[in-house]
Amino acid sequence: MPKTQGSYSTAGAGLSKPALFVGALGVVFGDIGTSPLYTLRQCIASIGTSDETAVFHVLSLIVWALVVVVTVKYVLVIMRADNRGEGGILALTALALRAVPRAGKQRQVVVGLGLLGAALFYGDGVITPAISVLSAVEGLRVATPAFEPYVLPVALVLLVLLFTMQSRGTARVGRLFGPIMLLWFSTLALLGIVQIVRHPGVLLALNPAYAIDMAVRFPGMTFVLLGAVVLAVTGAEALYTDMGHFGPAPIRGAWLWLVFPALVLNYFGQGALLLETPAAIEHPFYRLAPEWALFPMVILASAATIIASQAVISGAFSLTRQAVQLGYLPRLEVRHTSAEEIGQIYVPRVDKLLAVAVVCVVLGFQSSDNLGAAYGIAVTGTMLIDTVLALVYMRGVLRWGWVRIGVLFGLFALVDTAFFSANLLKFVEGGWFPLVMAAAVWTIMATWRWGRDVLLDRRARDALPLRDFIAGLKPDRPPRVAGTAVFMTGNVTVVPGALLHNLKHNKVLHERVVIMNVRTEDIPRVAEGDRLEIEDLGQNFFVIIVRYGFMDQPNIPRALAQCRLKQLHFNLMETSFFVGREKILAARRRGLPRWRKQLFVLMSNNMLDATEFFRIPPNRVVELGGQVEI
């Protein structure tokens, strides 16, 4: 394991605190910030009454869900589990793996949970943009039923524009969206305050006794209601996943000083409105606004819900890069959209796939009410997995005491399990969709991991030990030609297949031969001083191990340039890179089902070329083909 000094995240470097605060509003809090559009309406609909007792019970459950799940669990506890400044399910998985043995069932369980949590996050990434934008545009129907036919087309246009903007980069999107979200949260608070002033008694629902009273008196109804209350906390995982974009401090500050107060004020304002006008349950959020402000509110809400999708989209980009670097997905094109911020990335293929999936969901479910049934399972499943992995890390690595672990994580597990179980009731009504999508993503990631392990084992079993090969070389056989040959390989203890192919066909070795291995560590970034490990094997053979973090972008020419610091100099114009291009076939032998083998073959044949991924100059690359069966 390399040293980690100097490996901390550079998220937010060079930006002022106000700029980070506003940028975080535009990227991180969109999802949870637009929950007032539909949460209270869904809660009241799930219990079938909007009398005073019901309103007080619902408001109490909502505010204490925000306190326990978002404020205590994520903002104050889980964000402490930062992997050198990076967050998210895979970063947390890497941390949890440090607390378990390197082999055995415990490690398999942790990896399996991490992959499942990542898969569920992608499911959330499809539903969040759809329900958020639809719920905002549906405000047109509140103004006049004449707009009914235009709700779906307008929502689809807005969503397509959002995904088109992603190539501009998270930083630019954040600077554009941040001021809008600042206006949005200010408006939420103002609308809520106006209504609360008229009915200040609604603030009594801040007392958790109302939530406890409902759970004791009406346990069955409370259980069903939790399936809607969870809509208030969707987006909490995005706070953690997007931590690497801005750092934990701006996210904590924005939540505690603006977002949380604004949300609570708006929810209680809606509750006060329902106490006065029960008929406002049709759309209590829009009924908070005076009639003259209805159309401006629809426009502002539409902008805010477009931004809401940004949290999960940028989170999906971060998660994808981590998955590629950790070996759970094939190589994909990752574009860096900022020269200053290393965390600002754009993944074209993921952007396109999410866009297509979101459009299909909107066309399939048609309304935010229908999507409300599908929403929640993916979110609560990921939250529950976060709790388990954070428990493993904080007990096994940070050595938290059993009292603190028992109190905090006992509470988190109880709440997460209750939310997840309640959302399973919505399986038939639409909850099946995120689970089916998560199952598909999990299958892809698990298949890729399995296929890579099989290939590595097969290559190692059939390969010739490198030191034995070097020891058998003669001074004049085979002939040595001028220049340097770099052979990329996953195992530096055996002779790379590309080297054997080159020797077989060209009958020569280069004057200097480098066996290079690129390794991804379980930290976000590796310090430049810890990047390289060089070993001289004799006869002008060298092994170079290049280490990157799972948030680093590999750059082999730059790594070779750094070798001069260790007295090994390279002239790129005299260096050839030999890359093996294997054709993988699905064999009819025992193991995984043939369809999973074919899936792995399909992913292998369509992954990003190694030359482009490692930033090797194309005119210095020699590709040597082969064939292998799995």
Side-chain angles (χ1 to χ4, degrees):
M1 175 67 65
K3 294 176 290 186
T4 58
Q5 289 89 335
S7 301
Y8 290 87
S9 171
T10 57
L15 294 180
S16 65
K17 289 183 179 179
L20 287 172
F21 183 94
V22 174
L25 287 178
V27 173
V28 178
F29 293 102
D31 185 4
I32 200 167
T34 52
S35 295
L37 279 165
Y38 45 79
T39 298
L40 191 63
R41 185 175 85 241
Q42 293 277 351
C43 289
I44 296 298
S46 69
I47 58 177
T49 178
S50 58
D51 59 25
E52 181 177 312
T53 301
V55 170
F56 274 58
H57 284 157
V58 168
L59 289 177
S60 187
L61 282 169
I62 288 176
V63 70
W64 285 99
L66 289 170
V67 170
V68 173
V69 175
V70 186
T71 306
V72 178
K73 177 184 171 182
Y74 277 100
V75 173
L76 299 181
V77 177
I78 296 255
M79 286 180 71
R80 294 172 180 263
D82 66 295
N83 198 335
R84 299 295 188 265
E86 296 294 338
I89 188 71
L90 290 182
L92 184 57
T93 302
L95 290 174
L97 286 173
R98 299 178 186 177
V100 299
R102 289 190 171 273
K105 291 185 178 180
Q106 287 182 313
R107 192 173 190 84
Q108 294 175 7
V109 169
V110 169
V111 170
L113 285 174
L115 292 183
L116 180 58
L120 288 169
F121 185 85
Y122 283 109
D124 179 35
V126 171
I127 298 179
T128 293
I131 191 173
S132 299
V133 174
L134 267 175
S135 61
V137 179
E138 284 168 355
L140 294 172
R141 292 192 301 215
V142 177
T144 170
F147 284 112
E148 175 74 30
Y150 303 102
V151 170
L152 277 182
V154 171
L156 290 172
V157 169
L158 293 177
L159 286 165
V160 170
L161 287 174
L162 170 66
F163 283 100
T164 302
M165 289 182 62
Q166 294 306 308
S167 60
R168 295 169 60 89
T170 306
R172 293 181 182 178
V173 171
R175 284 195 294 268
L176 174 64
F177 287 169
I180 298 175
M181 290 307 294
L182 184 59
L183 174 62
W184 170 255
F185 286 116
S186 301
T187 303
L188 289 184
L190 179 61
L191 291 176
I193 290 172
V194 169
Q195 199 64 40
I196 292 171
V197 168
R198 296 176 183 172
H199 299 278
V202 75
L203 293 176
L204 291 173
L206 289 170
N207 189 339
Y210 284 96
I212 297 171
D213 176 66
M214 184 174 187
V216 172
R217 291 173 56 195
F218 311 104
M221 184 180 292
T222 304
F223 184 70
V224 173
L225 178 59
L226 289 178
V229 172
V230 74
L231 298 175
V233 299
T234 57
E237 164 68 14
L239 270 68
Y240 182 48
T241 302
D242 284 328
M243 186 167 60
H245 289 268
F246 298 97
I251 293 175
R252 287 194 180 106
W255 171 256
L256 294 173
W257 295 105
L258 176 62
V259 179
F260 178 56
L263 291 176
V264 171
L265 287 171
N266 193 264
Y267 282 124
F268 276 70
Q270 291 184 46
L273 175 64
L274 291 179
L275 294 179
E276 177 185 303
T277 312
I281 191 57
E282 173 200 2
H283 216 307
F285 175 82
Y286 282 115
R287 293 303 183 192
L288 279 178
E291 288 189 15
W292 62 265
L294 187 56
F295 281 109
M297 278 303 301
V298 171
I299 294 172
L300 179 59
S302 298
T305 51
I306 291 173
I307 298 166
S309 309
Q310 185 61 50
V312 291
I313 293 172
S314 58
F317 291 161
S318 296
L319 193 66
T320 299
R321 178 170 66 173
Q322 294 178 29
V324 169
Q325 293 292 73
L326 292 171
Y328 299 127
L329 284 176
R331 293 189 298 264
L332 296 170
E333 180 186 2
V334 177
R335 298 180 190 172
H336 288 259
T337 55
S338 171
E340 294 82 24
E341 299 302 317
I342 200 166
Q344 313 297 343
I345 60 171
Y346 168 63
V347 186
R349 188 169 295 185
V350 172
D351 187 52
K352 291 181 176 63
L353 289 174
L354 283 178
V356 171
V358 168
V359 169
C360 291
V361 164
V362 170
L363 292 175
F365 284 87
Q366 299 284 310
S367 73
S368 61
D369 286 338
N370 294 337
L371 270 170
Y375 208 25
I377 291 182
V379 177
T380 54
T382 305
M383 288 179 176
L384 183 56
I385 292 172
D386 281 343
T387 296
V388 175
L389 295 178
L391 168 62
V392 172
Y393 168 68
M394 290 176 177
R395 175 57 190 166
V397 178
L398 298 187
R399 300 298 180 186
W400 280 21
W402 281 115
V403 173
R404 181 158 54 162
I405 288 288
V407 172
L408 285 175
F409 284 89
L411 175 63
F412 299 157
L414 176 64
V415 172
D416 291 339
T417 302
F419 276 136
F420 182 69
S421 302
N423 276 275
L424 287 178
L425 297 176
K426 302 188 290 185
F427 180 84
V428 177
E429 300 172 15
W432 57 268
F433 175 79
L435 292 182
V436 168
M437 183 169 180
V441 174
W442 186 89
T443 300
I444 289 171
M445 299 175 82
T447 299
W448 181 254
R449 185 73 178 186
W450 165 84
R452 287 180 73 253
D453 291 342
V454 169
L455 284 179
L456 288 174
D457 290 343
R458 190 145 300 153
R459 290 167 184 160
R461 187 170 61 245
D462 301 333
L464 175 67
L466 180 60
R467 293 183 183 275
D468 293 348
F469 173 80
I470 296 173
L473 295 176
K474 306 296 183 184
D476 56 342
R477 281 202 325 270
R480 308 290 284 255
V481 296
T484 298
V486 178
F487 293 91
M488 310 290 293
T489 181
N491 186 350
V492 296
T493 65
V494 299
V495 182
L499 190 155
L500 293 176
H501 281 299
N502 181 56
L503 186 59
K504 175 181 177 181
H505 292 288
N506 296 320
K507 315 296 184 185
V508 297
L509 285 175
H510 281 69
E511 181 182 16
R512 182 170 57 177
V513 178
V514 173
I515 311 300
M516 178 173 286
N517 173 238
V518 178
R519 297 182 182 177
T520 302
E521 304 293 344
D522 66 350
I523 57 176
R525 298 180 182 90
V526 171
E528 294 296 332
D530 302 323
R531 179 83 65 205
L532 299 171
E533 181 181 327
I534 301 174
E535 183 179 4
D536 186 348
L537 300 181
Q539 300 212 45
N540 229 6
F541 272 72
F542 296 86
V543 166
I544 298 180
I545 296 174
V546 188
R547 291 186 171 90
Y548 292 101
F550 58 76
M551 296 297 286
D552 284 327
Q553 177 64 52
N555 189 322
I556 298 307
R558 182 178 178 182
L560 290 181
Q562 288 181 286
C563 289
R564 69 181 184 277
L565 299 176
K566 298 181 180 289
Q567 308 306 314
L568 189 62
H569 297 266
F570 289 89
N571 181 344
L572 203 58
M573 297 307 296
E574 296 178 357
T575 301
S576 298
F577 295 86
F578 289 81
V579 179
R581 178 178 285 275
E582 294 175 324
K583 181 178 180 180
I584 302 173
L585 303 176
R588 293 183 178 275
R589 53 168 66 114
R590 297 178 64 182
L592 284 187
R594 184 170 175 80
W595 67 267
R596 290 194 68 178
K597 294 180 180 180
Q598 291 174 333
L599 174 61
F600 178 76
V601 171
L602 178 65
M603 288 190 289
S604 298
N605 293 337
N606 287 279
M607 67 179 175
L608 185 67
D609 184 79
T611 300
E612 186 175 351
F613 184 77
F614 291 117
R615 299 190 178 186
I616 303 172
N619 61 344
R620 305 307 308 167
V621 174
V622 179
E623 290 189 347
L624 296 172
Q627 185 170 296
V628 61
E629 291 185 343
I630 60 170

